[in-house]
């Protein structure tokens, strides 16, 4: 009955570039499993300059939006409400429209990271290492604020980035120490390593993976596996992929946008795997 009451609704992912996004595959798979046959989910190439006009032109049929770069901060001034989670990292990746047209922003990347780690058996760690210092690294710090009881060491390329990570640590109440990228091999002995860098950046580290690695969370998913993830897995370490993150954060988005209590995680992951295999 819920599907009938909420028929004809729309959602989409916005960003630039956006052609590579797997979000339509994941959300459409969820709609099919949930019986929301009249729901649609599209993608739109939207940059920061075009965002206000796009948002202002949406009608009452819109249920929600997923946001990727470079819009996660640009959307904030256009919202009526921002969740505490999104405010903590000044980044919104989810917008849900209320029945009155109100716009509420949230960040599902952070709980999505926690859920992906929990699925791998990681409930709590005594320390962790982060490779990189971009926007994803701040979300990783926010996730670690929920599960890490000790120090987080961030390996970065510049003092400016190091200062940013230390500031995020203070804001998120995480004990952050920064080290130079040249010493990044030292990160690989941590109980949990979160790689947040662009494709190819960590390839050289694959040659120095320890014999008994613990857990690697590599936020990339295409191409997959990365050189680091492949070597890590070959040495028997646990690996959490960017697809795991993408699926878990999308599950939370589907639940918020549709009002359904439980989105079909396994169905969404299988759809994502099939889409990647076909690329």
């Amino acid at each position: 009955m819920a599907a009938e009451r909420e028929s004809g609704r729309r959602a989409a992912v916005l960003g630039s570039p956006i052609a590579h996004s797997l979000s339509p595959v994941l959300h459409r798979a969820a709609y099919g499993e949930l019986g929301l046959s009249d729901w649609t989910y599209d993608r739109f190439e939207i940059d920061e300059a075009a965002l206000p006009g796009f948002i202002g032109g949406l009608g009452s049929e819109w249920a929600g939006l997923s946001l990727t770069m470079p819009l996660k901060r640009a959307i904030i001034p256009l919202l009526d409400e921002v969740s505490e989670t999104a405010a903590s990292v000044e980044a919104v990746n989810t917008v849900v429209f209320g029945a009155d047209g109100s716009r509420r922003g949230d960040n599902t990347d952070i709980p999505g990271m926690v859920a992906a780690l929990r699925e791998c058996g990681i409930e709590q760690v005594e320390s962790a290492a982060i490779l990189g210092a971009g926007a994803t690294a701040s979300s990783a710090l926010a996730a670690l604020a929920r599960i890490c009881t000790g120090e987080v060491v961030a390996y970065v390329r510049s003092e400016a980035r190091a200062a940013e990570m230390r500031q995020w640590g203070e804001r998120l109440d995480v004990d952050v120490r920064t080290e130079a990228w040249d010493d990044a091999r030292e990160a690989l002995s941590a109980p949990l390593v979160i790689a947040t860098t662009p494709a190819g950046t960590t390839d050289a580290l694959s040659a120095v993976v320890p014999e008994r690695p613990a857990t690697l969370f590599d936020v990339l998913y295409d191409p997959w596996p990365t050189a680091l993830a492949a070597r890590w897995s070959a040495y028997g370490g646990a690996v959490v992929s960017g697809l795991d993150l993408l699926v878990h954060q999308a599950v939370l988005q589907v639940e918020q946008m549709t009002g359904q209590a439980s989105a079909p995680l396994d169905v969404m992951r299988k759809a994502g795997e099939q889409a990647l295999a076909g690329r």
Side-chain angles (χ1 to χ4, degrees):
M1 295 299 292
E4 294 177 5
R5 288 196 304 269
E6 304 218 344
S7 62
R9 305 303 304 280
R10 296 189 66 184
V13 59
L14 315 181
S16 182
I18 201 62
H20 69 288
S21 177
L22 278 180
S23 292
V25 171
L26 303 182
H27 284 250
R28 291 168 185 169
Y31 296 166
E33 184 69 14
L34 293 170
L36 301 175
S37 58
D38 291 334
W39 281 62
T40 59
Y41 189 101
D42 302 297
R43 62 165 66 91
F44 293 94
E45 182 84 16
I46 301 290
D47 60 15
E48 293 168 281
L51 184 60
F54 182 89
I55 296 295
L58 299 181
S60 60
E61 74 277 15
W62 282 86
L65 298 170
S66 306
L67 299 162
T68 186
M69 300 304 292
L71 305 179
K72 293 185 179 183
R73 288 190 179 175
I75 189 66
I76 292 176
L78 306 177
L79 302 175
D80 299 302
E81 181 184 357
V82 176
S83 72
E84 183 177 342
T85 300
S88 72
V89 290
E90 297 179 0
V92 166
N93 78 327
T94 307
V95 176
V96 177
F97 298 103
D100 59 354
S102 60
R103 308 162 184 166
R104 183 180 189 275
D106 193 14
N107 185 308
T108 63
D109 286 330
I110 295 167
M113 283 187 177
V114 174
L117 286 167
R118 183 178 296 119
E119 187 179 41
C120 186
I122 305 297
E123 297 279 352
Q124 189 177 83
V125 291
E126 294 181 357
S127 62
I130 295 177
L131 300 174
T136 305
S138 62
S139 291
L141 267 182
L144 288 171
R146 303 183 181 193
I147 66 168
C148 185
T149 60
E151 183 181 62
V152 175
V153 185
Y155 292 83
V156 301
R157 291 192 180 277
S158 70
E159 177 52 38
R161 289 289 196 179
E164 288 179 7
M165 287 298 283
R166 290 192 294 268
Q167 290 171 0
W168 279 117
E170 292 178 6
R171 179 169 179 168
L172 295 164
D173 196 24
V174 178
D175 181 12
V176 175
R177 173 164 59 91
T178 55
E179 297 290 349
W181 182 261
D182 290 345
D183 298 321
R185 64 182 297 163
E186 298 176 5
L188 307 187
S189 60
L192 172 62
V193 181
I194 304 181
T196 69
T197 52
T201 307
T202 63
D203 285 0
L205 293 175
S206 64
V208 291
V209 172
E211 290 186 4
R212 293 181 177 84
T215 300
L216 171 68
F217 192 159
D218 195 324
V219 303
L220 297 174
Y221 62 84
D222 189 16
W224 185 263
T226 62
L228 179 60
R231 182 64 63 88
W232 198 278
S233 181
Y235 279 17
V239 176
V240 182
S241 76
L243 181 60
D244 295 320
L245 167 60
L246 189 66
V247 171
H248 276 283
Q249 66 82 28
V251 161
L252 297 171
Q253 289 185 334
V254 168
E255 290 171 355
Q256 289 191 31
M257 293 179 192
T258 67
Q260 298 280 346
S262 182
L265 172 68
D266 292 341
V267 169
M268 295 168 70
R269 176 182 279 121
K270 183 176 180 180
E273 291 172 345
Q274 291 176 339
L276 287 176
R279 289 185 175 182

